[in-house]
Amino acid sequence: MNPEQGRLPTAGTWWRRNVLIWLALMLLLFSSTAIAYVPMGRLTTAAGIVIAVIKSGLVMLFFMELTKSKPLIRLAAVAGLVFVAVLFTLTFADVLTRPG
């Protein structure tokens, strides 16, 4: 057995990982703010949603630690994502079918 496999991460490793994720979230925040002021038509909304999905994925995977959680907790997270996807789909269907 490899002695590296059973080792727990040190506090420095946790801090480094969390700071890197936080920096990535801040970069995504600034990019979504910048995109909001660039006139790209409908692509502005699509880009904002893509950035939001990336940000929520980072939070769920690393801060909520869904990769290490029990299957029932993962199932609850997936159920929440499916619910939000249905809400977005219905909202987009409503907006796209409105006249004018």
Side-chain angles (χ1 to χ4, degrees), residues 37-48:
Y37 291 104
V38 176
M40 296 189 305
R42 288 189 173 188
L43 286 178
T44 303
T45 305

Side-chain angles (χ1 to χ4, degrees), residues 24-93:
L25 289 170
M26 289 297 109
L27 179 69
L28 289 168
L29 171 70
F30 292 133
S31 63
S32 63
T33 304
I35 285 175
Y37 291 104
V38 176
M40 296 189 305
R42 288 189 173 188
L43 286 178
T44 303
T45 305
I49 291 172
V50 167
I51 290 173
V53 166
I54 294 170
K55 287 192 288 189
S56 64
L58 284 173
V59 169
M60 288 189 324
L61 290 177
F62 294 107
F63 289 131
M64 293 174 61
E65 296 184 356
L66 285 179
T67 56
K68 300 174 187 173
S69 64
K70 295 180 181 178
L72 186 60
I73 295 176
R74 288 186 204 165
L75 180 64
V78 169
L81 288 175
V82 168
F83 180 72
V84 169
V86 168
L87 286 177
F88 269 101
T89 303
L90 292 174
T91 302
F92 284 139

